[in-house]
Amino acid sequence: MEAQLTLAGIYDSGIGVPADYGLAARWFIEAANQGSARAQAVLGEKYLHGYGVDKDLQKAVYWLDKAARQNEPAAIANLGWCHQEGLNFKQDLEKAFNFYLR
């Protein structure tokens, strides 16, 4: 799992290889499917913005929720932002605030 996450980061950043966001996403998916909270959070953000994958708010929230349940800070913050902006949810500032407090 860690090797996949590392490889994903290498392709995502282009350190030592040409950046390839699609290939990075593939490796983030592999690590996320094995339970890596960090990979799940990054993958959720990629689906949220369409980086290396098609933008898909349902998939974004799915992966962010899995990571947030493992107390991954970036996922918790992104879920708060989704509630704040009404992305894939009805806008709910109280829920957003509660995510930001976690």
Side-chain angles (χ1 to χ4, degrees):
M1 171 174 31
E2 287 302 316
Q4 288 137 340
L5 186 57
T6 300
L7 193 54
I10 289 169
Y11 281 112
D12 202 39
S13 65
I15 296 175
V17 298
D20 185 330
Y21 303 122
L23 194 52
R26 177 180 156 221
W27 288 110
F28 281 122
I29 290 168
E30 291 291 327
N33 281 329
Q34 292 182 36
S36 168
R38 180 71 187 132
Q40 292 166 351
V42 171
L43 190 56
E45 189 170 351
K46 290 194 172 299
Y47 278 115
L48 193 60
H49 299 289
Y51 299 144
V53 294
D54 290 334
K55 187 174 181 176
D56 186 323
L57 295 178
Q58 288 182 328
K59 286 181 181 178
V61 168
Y62 170 81
W63 288 112
L64 291 172
D65 183 63
K66 286 184 80 74
R69 290 176 187 271
Q70 296 180 71
N71 295 313
E72 179 63 37
I76 293 167
N78 275 315
L79 280 174
W81 185 71
C82 288
H83 282 285
Q84 175 184 320
E85 299 299 316
L87 300 175
N88 203 59
F89 302 102
K90 181 179 177 194
Q91 186 179 34
D92 188 329
L93 298 180
E94 185 175 337
K95 279 187 181 179
F97 184 72
N98 287 329
F99 272 99
Y100 293 143
L101 286 178
R102 284 178 59 187

